[in-house]
Amino acid sequence: MPRYLSLVRVDESTAPPEGPSPELMQRMGELIEEITKAGVMLDTAGLTPHSQGKRVRWEGGRLSVTDGPFTESKEVVGGYALMQCKDMAEAIEWTKRFLQTHEEYWTVTCEVREIAEG
């Protein structure tokens, strides 16, 4: 069965400064448990704030490392999910359910892509 990576992008201007609510974390935990029991979830995690990250870039034959935060980023990668699904449609359905765990003031986008095998 194919594997899919869902990159969770969060618009930090709509996210509460204190982070996700306890209710959101409970809903998310319940859904992750369901996805795991269904044999779909292979791995998932949230990421530390982008202010703690680094960008490593290769350009013009030279490497550079830039410390976060990255001022040009409105939307940052806040986490990921690695799923094994029968097809893209199933991966999208699980992703929709994940997005719906969030309160309406959040702006969250998931980019779902099949992992190239071989």
Side-chain angles (χ1 to χ4, degrees):
M1 267 201 311
R3 294 181 302 153
Y4 297 88
L5 179 66
S6 178
L7 289 173
V8 181
R9 298 183 186 274
V10 177
D11 180 339
E12 289 191 325
S13 70
T14 66
E18 67 277 4
S21 69
E23 296 81 13
L24 169 57
M25 294 307 293
Q26 180 177 342
R27 288 190 303 273
M28 199 176 299
E30 290 168 358
L31 179 61
I32 289 170
E33 184 177 337
E34 181 183 348
I35 297 172
T36 302
K37 284 182 180 176
V40 170
M41 185 66 73
L42 301 176
D43 190 27
T44 187
L47 301 175
T48 59
H50 81 287
S51 61
Q52 297 174 17
K54 305 227 185 260
R55 284 191 179 158
V56 182
R57 182 178 177 99
W58 174 257
E59 181 179 19
R62 296 178 50 200
L63 284 170
S64 64
V65 179
T66 306
D67 294 337
F70 311 111
T71 56
E72 71 278 5
S73 297
K74 177 181 176 188
E75 205 176 57
V76 299
V77 178
Y80 69 93
L82 179 61
M83 301 176 287
Q84 190 163 24
C85 301
K86 65 181 181 234
D87 54 26
M88 177 65 86
E90 182 184 12
I92 294 297
E93 285 307 310
W94 285 114
T95 301
K96 286 178 180 179
R97 289 190 57 197
F98 165 77
L99 289 171
Q100 290 172 327
T101 65
H102 294 76
E103 292 91 357
E104 64 183 35
Y105 52 82
W106 286 84
T107 301
V108 184
T109 304
C110 290
E111 179 181 341
V112 181
R113 297 176 60 186
E114 185 173 347
I115 295 174
E117 304 288 351

